[in-house]
Amino acid sequence: LKLSPDNQQLHYRMAAYLYAMTKIRQALVHLETALSINFDDHFLLFEVLPQLQEATEITDLIALYKHKNEKL
């Protein structure tokens, strides 16, 4: 991430890994960064950890960015 801070794929993966390690707050920070860089790639998160589709914190944040993305 230090070499490529704007790489949304890395942020989505890091969000999944951190969530799996129960570091929810850090995971959400990376998810928010990834969503702000490229919302459309959010499916990558579920490729890494499909059970995140059931995580309310994750789906709520994606829904928020979806709403913001639709306004643009």
Side-chain angles (χ1 to χ4, degrees):
L1 285 170
K2 288 181 182 180
L3 297 175
S4 234
D6 292 333
N7 186 327
Q8 75 277 2
Q9 293 179 2
L10 294 176
H11 284 285
Y12 282 119
R13 288 183 183 281
M14 186 61 108
Y17 299 146
L18 288 167
Y19 196 92
M21 295 175 8
T22 67
K23 296 184 177 189
I24 310 303
R25 207 172 284 199
Q26 290 173 307
L28 293 175
V29 169
H30 282 281
L31 178 56
E32 191 164 5
T33 300
L35 290 167
S36 67
I37 295 169
N38 187 333
F39 172 82
D40 293 333
D41 280 352
H42 71 275
F43 69 91
L44 295 169
L45 184 69
F46 304 128
E47 285 182 356
V48 175
L49 203 61
Q51 57 266 42
L52 290 180
Q53 294 178 66
E54 306 299 321
T56 305
E57 307 96 326
I58 299 292
T59 57
D60 286 353
L61 189 54
I62 291 171
L64 177 67
Y65 271 81
K66 180 179 181 181
H67 183 69
K68 286 181 180 181
N69 204 39
E70 288 173 349
K71 286 186 174 185
L72 296 177

